[in-house]
Amino acid sequence: MKLTLDEFERFSDLIYRRTGIRFEPNKFYFVEKRIEKRMEELGISSYSQYLRLLKFGDPNGEEFQRLIELLTINETYFFRDFSQLQAFAEHCLPLVVEKKINSGDESIRIWSAGCSTGEEPYTLSIILNEMIDTNEWNIEIVATDIDTKALERAKNGIYDARSVKDVPRDYLKKYFINSGSKYILKEEIKKFVKFEHSNLSDFTSIRKYRGFDFICCRNVLIYFDEISRKKVVDYFYIALNKGGFIFLSSTESLSRITTAFKLIKLGPHLVYMKE
């Protein structure tokens, strides 16, 4: 039995309503195979039966969560998009640090939204450790994702060679323990990162995220449609401190979503700031 276009649209609508993620028809085969995998594991023979289960027989959302974990692609690695990280480290961070020192605020808070298996928030932790005396600051990196399995892997802090391929050699020796084919992140970097399960389209649950100096949401909003994307970015504006910075991926433009943030040039980099 094959998934029909009508069934695909019904699954797609359900996923969109609950997560804000829109799967277009060009993802038909991708979605079909992952639904099939869950149906086989549950012994369900028809797509309509599985859809009914998701809608009416899954009160705690556990099965829906399993499906979402199959549908979300966790493609990430340490020091991804180096130019953006350079802007953060060499230009944005010093501005925020100077402002904090002048106001007597000893905290630095970062939200890594859509953190996947943890490479991004841990990269930010490494950069902070290199750029400032972390003993003098109250540092909190809140890392959130919809995928609970990815979060468990992130908490372990154990990575393969592909994940660390772009880590500078000195940092690899300094912050990782090489154990055979695996690289174990040291506690001095892990201790600043707190992982939490969160759905960016659930505005009731993300309302608690406030008071951040930096928000990173890179390669996440590309899975959202225009309406959901604007809602999420509007909330990011609320969650960000005045003078704080937001980073999307280098292929995403905030100006297409909102005019709330100011685009400024720092060195050779263009960055978005909340005035």
Side-chain angles (χ1 to χ4, degrees):
M1 182 184 297
K2 292 293 183 180
L3 182 70
T4 66
L5 183 58
D6 178 65
E7 288 169 332
F8 169 82
E9 290 175 348
R10 288 161 65 194
F11 276 107
S12 181
D13 287 343
L14 176 66
I15 293 165
Y16 173 70
R17 287 197 306 272
R18 294 190 184 180
T19 69
I21 299 171
R22 171 68 74 184
F23 287 101
E24 301 295 344
N26 64 342
K27 293 288 187 179
F28 184 98
Y29 183 76
F30 171 81
V31 172
E32 179 186 44
K33 289 303 177 186
R34 277 140 186 86
I35 290 174
E36 282 181 0
K37 179 176 175 62
R38 286 305 304 154
M39 287 171 56
E40 288 174 6
E41 291 173 351
L42 294 169
I44 295 175
S45 58
S46 76
Y47 292 102
S48 59
Q49 182 184 354
Y50 183 55
L51 187 62
R52 283 196 300 273
L53 169 65
L54 292 175
K55 286 183 173 181
F56 310 114
D58 186 30
N60 297 320
E62 293 178 3
E63 176 53 33
F64 184 77
Q65 181 66 36
R66 299 288 84 75
L67 177 61
I68 289 301
E69 287 168 2
L70 286 177
L71 290 169
T72 50
I73 303 172
N74 299 308
E75 174 66 24
T76 185
Y77 45 88
F78 282 87
F79 287 87
R80 185 178 186 178
D81 203 340
F82 188 82
S83 178
Q84 268 201 342
L85 297 172
Q86 192 173 28
F88 164 75
E90 298 179 3
H91 299 279
C92 301
L93 181 61
L95 283 178
V96 169
V97 165
E98 182 181 6
K99 182 180 177 181
K100 296 271 186 174
I101 291 173
N102 291 335
S103 65
D105 184 350
E106 297 178 343
S107 68
I108 294 177
R109 300 186 72 237
I110 301 174
W111 183 7
S112 173
C115 68
S116 186
T117 46
E119 285 91 335
E120 177 181 86
Y122 286 143
T123 294
L124 296 172
S125 184
I126 289 173
I127 290 173
L128 289 177
N129 203 68
E130 286 292 315
M131 298 297 295
I132 63 176
D133 185 349
T134 55
N135 293 318
E136 296 182 354
W137 294 87
N138 296 319
I139 296 170
E140 182 182 42
I141 302 172
V142 180
T144 65
D145 203 273
I146 195 173
D147 188 335
T148 54
K149 288 186 178 178
L151 290 172
E152 288 304 313
R153 289 176 58 195
K155 290 175 185 177
N156 289 334
I158 302 173
Y159 296 93
D160 58 21
R162 188 189 177 284
S163 289
V164 301
K165 64 184 178 65
D166 287 347
V167 177
R169 187 178 297 273
D170 290 346
Y171 293 178
L172 197 60
K173 292 180 179 178
K174 186 175 180 180
Y175 297 118
F176 293 83
I177 300 169
N178 185 200
S179 177
S181 62
K182 299 296 182 182
Y183 292 84
I184 304 169
L185 194 64
K186 291 184 178 179
E187 187 60 34
E188 64 184 288
I189 295 303
K190 292 176 65 178
K191 67 180 181 180
F192 296 119
V193 184
K194 178 175 67 173
F195 293 98
E196 297 181 359
H197 177 253
S198 181
N199 179 350
L200 285 177
S201 70
D202 183 351
F203 295 100
T204 300
S205 70
I206 69 170
R207 194 175 295 154
K208 65 181 180 180
Y209 297 112
R210 297 285 183 96
F212 292 99
D213 303 300
F214 302 95
I215 295 177
C216 292
C217 186
R218 304 190 299 166
N219 300 291
V220 177
L221 295 181
I222 55 174
Y223 299 106
F224 288 61
D225 72 350
E226 185 176 346
I227 295 172
S228 300
R229 197 177 295 128
K230 187 177 188 315
K231 286 181 179 178
V232 173
V233 170
D234 285 347
Y235 186 78
F236 285 161
Y237 185 84
I238 296 171
L240 195 64
N241 290 332
K242 185 177 180 181
F245 295 89
I246 183 169
F247 295 92
L248 303 186
S249 74
S250 57
T251 60
E252 298 172 287
S253 172
L254 264 179
S255 60
R256 297 173 190 166
I257 305 172
T258 181
T259 58
F261 297 93
K262 183 178 181 181
L263 182 63
I264 62 174
K265 187 171 185 179
L266 294 177
H269 308 284
L270 291 173
V271 296
Y272 290 98
M273 183 184 74
K274 177 178 176 177
E275 288 190 288

